Amino acid sequence: QVRLVESGGGLVQAGGSLRLSCAASGKIFSINSMGWYRQAPGNQRELVAAITSGGSTNYAGSVKGRFTISRDNAKNTVYLQMNSLKPEDTAVYICNAEGVRDSSSGYALNYRGQGTQVTASS
């Protein structure tokens, strides 16, 4: 079983910064993509940013230029640096790992963390 543990959420004033971390643990051979979703009350879950094992990134238009996703493959950890936070960024941020294999020939499974609250106050 693979576990994703998020950290780094909190309360900041608008314009401030936060850095989220998500570490995957368990029997892991490889992870194809890691990323962050967010969900605010009354809203659908949306992709914030994702990064492949090769370093290709994908961002939601609303965070481009403000958020940066990075990854340490050796540590199975993904980071999200969030700058210039806005009140509309307030949400629960959920870490996601896709294509997780426990061996070179194992099945690829997806996992999700519990989420961490990010609040940007105006």
Side-chain angles (χ1 to χ4, degrees):
Q1 185 71 10
V2 172
R3 184 182 178 205
L4 302 182
V5 178
E6 300 121 327
S7 61
L11 171 65
V12 294
Q13 288 189 330
S17 299
L18 283 173
R19 188 187 193 219
L20 304 183
S21 299
C22 171
S25 62
K27 187 178 180 184
I28 299 171
F29 174 78
S30 64
I31 303 175
N32 181 37
S33 175
M34 298 186 77
W36 295 90
Y37 286 76
R38 67 186 180 187
Q39 187 162 21
N43 291 357
Q44 288 189 333
R45 185 177 299 158
E46 63 171 343
L47 175 68
V48 177
I51 184 168
T52 68
S53 57
S56 296
T57 58
N58 181 34
Y59 293 94
S62 59
V63 307
K64 278 184 180 178
R66 300 187 297 123
F67 291 10
T68 302
I69 191 168
S70 60
R71 178 174 170 173
D72 186 332
N73 290 329
K75 295 181 178 179
N76 292 321
T77 300
V78 63
Y79 307 94
L80 185 67
Q81 178 67 43
M82 304 183 294
N83 298 329
S84 303
L85 281 160
K86 303 176 180 180
E88 51 263 44
D89 294 318
T90 296
V92 175
Y93 283 68
I94 304 157
C95 179
N96 187 69
E98 295 183 357
V100 182
R101 298 181 185 272
D102 61 4
S103 68
S104 60
S105 58
Y107 291 108
L109 300 176
N110 300 334
Y111 295 91
R112 184 181 300 164
Q114 292 295 312
T116 184
Q117 177 69 44
V118 171
T119 303
S121 63
S122 58

